[in-house]
Structures are given as structure tokens and as C-alpha cells.
């Protein structure tokens, strides 16, 4: 065999190994993203337009924020099924407090908005506090704890509203935080970007972020090394709920009403976004930037299916299938990595 043929064979081998290397490093997300773009571009001429992609970005903001919080719970080896409840309770309490403050002080618009946002975020964060106490101090399974709080939170939200939307908020709240824009970019996108930067610094530039990864990787070893595992778990679930609460207030501004029935699909969608992005269900593995891309991918798929006029019921089937596919791919990737180490 000549030198040129050997180099050609080596180059072919390298190209053949490239998808495998990408899969091991980044997971299944890049492949799903390429497939989705190709399929939906074929199905709709409007899919790849700048206007539609900006619309996808705007619509994905709420899921992106919730997914960043969900990632924290997954990194510790748990998950939070109550993020949908958190959105609903935040929306209801925030809207009621804001409407009451605005009715009492019609001239103090921004004070009413602040009171409403503060009350809503605190109410939603209490869900995370309860989850954290149950998981960290009483050893309750994250599945059972967050599932129980889902029922509790939705029950409180329905009790407060009687199942009817809450109106009476200042128009400025929706104009700024729901539909406002700067340089052609909507306000919620700036909020999500700010939260992403803050969370990136927290996870990768502070000891507390490393504690989360350590607890998820091996809780017993983390405790022996001096990490307060209980405090880490408690703070993790509080942060997860706080992120969902911010998304809840932004969604309330978008809807211009407080709703007790929003967020039902958020647990599935946020977990799917994280798992598709390579966050391990076993804990300790995952990157923030990949999770953001995973949430955008979910939004991209939903937008593409809407443009292709696929019924909403079938969209739920597709989303569930993507989650199952991502979990299977994650298991395959872990086995392949383990075989390489052997």
C-alpha cells in the first residue's frame, strides 16, 4: 500500500469516527437538531426565516428558564416534577397581589408590579423549599416529594382562584415584561440571558457549583470530603423553584392574567430538554450551555410541528418519544464510554 493510499484510508477512518466522537462528547442533541432542521425545512418554507427563528427564541424563553432550574435538580441525582405547579402558583399569587396593590395604589404602578412579582416569586419558591426539606432532611424520594407538592400547589392555586383567571394587573406589566422589546429582542429573552450568565458563574466559577456536581456524582464521598450535602440539596431545590417562579411571572405578563392551569407540560418538557442535552439522570453530568440548546430544540420542534399543522395530541406523542430516545441514547453513550475506559 502506498503512502497516499494509507493517508487516504486514515482520513476516511477519521471521518467515519467523527459522528461517534461527537456522540460521545455531546450526546444525541446535535444529530436530532440537524434532523429537525432538515425535516421541518422540507415541510414548511417559513421554518428557516429569520422572523420565525426569532419567534422560536421568544416562545422558548419560559422553557429555557425552567430547564436551567431543572438541570440543577438533575445534577444532584434527583428531579423536580413540581415545576408546573410552581408556575401556576406563582402566576396566581403574583397576579392577585399585583391587582390588589394596583387597586389600592393606582398611581404607584411600578410599586404594584414589584409587590406582585415579589409575592409570586416567594410563593413559588416555597414549593422548592418544601421539596428541599423533604429530600435533604427527611430522605424522601425526589419523585414522591415533588409529585406530592404538585398536587398541593395546584390545589392551592385552584382554591385561591376558583378556577377563574385573575385580572386587574397594570397594563405596564404586560407591555414591558410580556411584549416589550429592545433592539428588536423581547424583554423575556434578556431576562433569560441574564439568568443564564448568573447560573453559569455560579456553577463553574464558585465552590457551590462544584458542590452540586460532587453531590450528584457521589453523595457519600462528597459528605466525607466536607461538603454539606443537605444544605446543597436544599439550596438546589430552592434555586430550581426560584427559576420556575421567574418564568411564571414572565408567562403571566405574556398572558396578561393569572392562571391556575398553566405549566402542566413543563415537567415533561424541562426534563426532556435536559436529558436530550446530555444531563445524566444518575446525576453529576451536564452542561448549562447544552441545556439551553436542548430547550431551544424542544421549542424548535414544537414550532416546526405547528407550521406543519401537526395536531397538538400528536405533538405530545413526539415529545414523549424524544424523551425516551434521549434516555436510551444516554445509556448507550455511557456504555460506550465505559468500554473505552476498559
Amino acid at each position: 500500500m502506498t503512502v497516499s493510499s494509507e493517508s487516504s484510508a486514515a482520513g476516511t477512518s477519521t471521518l467515519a469516527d467523527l459522528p461517534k466522537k461527537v456522540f460521545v462528547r455531546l450526546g444525541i442533541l446535535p444529530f436530532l437538531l440537524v434532523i429537525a432542521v432538515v425535516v421541518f425545512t422540507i415541510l414548511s418554507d417559513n421554518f428557516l426565516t429569520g422572523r420565525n427563528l426569532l419567534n422560536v427564541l421568544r416562545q422558548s424563553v419560559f422553557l429555557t428558564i425552567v430547564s436551567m432550574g431543572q438541570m440543577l435538580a438533575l445534577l444532584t441525582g434527583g428531579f423536580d416534577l413540581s415545576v408546573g405547579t410552581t408556575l401556576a402558583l406563582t402566576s396566581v399569587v403574583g397576579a392577585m397581589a399585583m391587582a390588589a396593590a394596583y387597586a389600592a395604589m393606582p398611581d404607584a404602578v411600578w410599586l404594584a408590579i414589584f409587590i406582585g412579582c415579589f409575592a409570586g416569586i416567594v410563593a413559588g419558591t416555597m414549593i422548592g423549599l418544601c421539596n428541599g426539606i423533604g429530600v435533604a432532611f427527611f430522605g424522601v424520594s425526589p419523585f414522591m416529594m415533588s409529585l406530592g407538592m404538585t398536587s398541593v400547589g395546584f390545589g392551592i392555586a385552584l382554591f385561591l382562584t376558583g378556577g377563574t383567571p385573575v385580572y386587574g394587573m397594570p397594563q405596564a406589566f404586560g407591555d414591558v415584561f410580556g411584549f416589550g422589546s429592545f433592539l428588536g429582542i423581547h424583554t423575556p429573552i434578556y431576562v433569560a440571558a441574564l439568568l443564564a450568565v448568573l447560573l453559569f458563574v455560579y456553577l463553574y466559577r464558585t465552590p457551590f457549583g462544584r458542590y452540586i456536581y460532587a453531590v450528584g456524582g457521589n453523595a457519600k464521598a462528597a459528605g466525607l470530603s466536607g461538603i454539606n450535602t443537605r444544605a446543597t440539596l436544599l439550596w438546589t431545590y430552592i434555586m430550581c423553584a426560584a427559576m420556575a417562579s421567574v418564568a411564571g411571572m414572565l408567562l403571566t405578563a405574556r398572558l396578561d392574567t393569572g392562571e391556575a392551569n398553566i405549566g402542566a407540560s413543563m415537567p415533561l418538557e424541562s426534563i426532556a430538554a435536559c436529558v436530550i442535552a446530555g444531563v445524566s439522570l444518575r446525576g453529576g453530568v451536564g452542561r448549562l450551555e447544552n441545556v439551553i440548546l436542548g430547550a431551544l430544540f424542544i421549542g424548535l420542534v414544537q414550532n416546526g410541528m405547528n407550521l406543519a399543522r401537526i395536531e397538538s395530541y400528536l405533538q405530545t406523542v413526539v415529545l414523549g418519544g424524544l424523551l425516551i430516545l434521549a434516555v436510551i441514547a444516554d445509556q448507550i453513550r455511557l456504555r460506550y464510554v465505559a468500554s473505552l475506559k476498559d
Side-chain angles (χ1 to χ4, degrees):
M1 182 180 291
T2 63
V3 175
S4 59
S5 61
E6 289 178 355
S7 60
S8 177
T12 303
S13 176
T14 303
L15 289 175
D17 291 339
L18 183 60
K20 192 177 293 184
K21 292 179 180 178
V22 171
F23 176 67
V24 170
R25 183 174 178 83
L26 301 176
I28 197 173
L29 179 58
F31 302 97
L32 291 178
L33 192 58
V34 170
I35 293 171
V37 170
V38 171
V39 170
F40 292 126
T41 301
I42 294 172
L43 292 176
S44 175
D45 295 333
N46 297 322
F47 180 71
L48 272 185
T49 62
R51 181 178 180 181
N52 184 59
L53 293 179
L54 186 61
N55 187 46
V56 170
L57 186 62
R58 178 179 58 80
Q59 291 176 342
S60 303
V61 161
F62 315 109
L63 176 59
T64 300
I65 295 174
V66 175
S67 298
M68 288 192 293
Q70 187 72 255
M71 173 193 173
L72 298 176
L74 288 169
L75 285 177
T76 61
F79 45 81
D80 189 351
L81 297 178
S82 63
V83 289
T85 286
T86 303
L87 258 75
L89 189 61
T90 298
S91 179
V92 166
V93 173
M96 293 179 70
M98 193 180 301
Y102 183 54
M105 303 175 292
D107 295 329
V109 174
W110 287 104
L111 179 59
I113 291 174
F114 173 78
I115 291 173
C117 290
F118 180 78
I121 291 173
V122 168
T125 304
M126 289 299 103
I127 299 287
L129 178 63
C130 294
N131 283 332
I133 290 174
V135 172
F137 293 95
F138 293 97
V140 181
S141 162
F143 175 83
M144 292 306 301
M145 191 67 212
S146 58
L147 185 63
M149 288 307 300
T150 297
S151 180
V152 171
F154 272 128
I156 293 173
L158 290 170
F159 173 77
L160 291 174
T161 63
T164 59
V166 179
Y167 297 98
M169 294 178 290
Q171 185 176 346
F173 179 56
D175 290 344
V176 174
F177 295 101
F179 300 92
S181 63
F182 178 69
L183 299 177
I185 300 176
H186 289 81
T187 305
I189 297 176
Y190 287 108
V191 176
L194 176 62
L195 290 175
V197 171
L198 293 175
L199 189 57
F200 184 89
V201 172
Y202 178 83
L203 282 175
Y204 306 120
R205 295 293 184 270
T206 69
F208 306 105
R210 292 191 288 272
Y211 294 167
I212 292 176
Y213 279 92
V215 170
N218 190 323
K220 186 174 292 186
L224 292 174
S225 65
I227 296 173
N228 189 333
T229 56
R230 288 183 174 180
T232 301
L233 286 171
L234 176 64
W235 183 237
T236 294
Y237 282 95
I238 289 175
M239 288 182 65
C240 179
M243 298 283 278
S245 298
V246 173
M249 288 310 302
L250 291 174
L251 190 55
T252 302
R254 184 73 184 175
L255 298 173
D256 204 26
T257 59
E259 299 277 355
N261 58 356
I262 62 173
S265 63
M266 275 297 177
L268 173 62
E269 291 179 2
S270 61
I271 293 174
C274 291
V275 174
I276 288 172
V279 180
S280 175
L281 293 175
R282 300 179 182 181
V285 177
R287 295 288 302 179
L288 177 62
E289 56 272 22
N290 292 348
V291 169
I292 295 173
L293 189 59
L296 292 175
F297 168 75
I298 297 293
L300 197 72
V301 169
Q302 291 174 333
N303 175 265
M305 289 190 292
N306 287 332
L307 291 177
R309 298 181 180 179
I310 297 175
E311 293 184 9
S312 59
Y313 305 112
L314 291 178
Q315 292 187 24
T316 306
V317 173
V318 171
L319 185 60
L322 286 174
L323 177 58
I324 295 171
L325 177 63
V327 173
I328 293 173
D330 183 57
Q331 294 299 316
I332 294 173
R333 185 166 68 96
L334 289 175
R335 290 175 185 175
Y336 181 72
V337 171
S339 67
L340 289 178
K341 291 180 180 179
D342 294 338

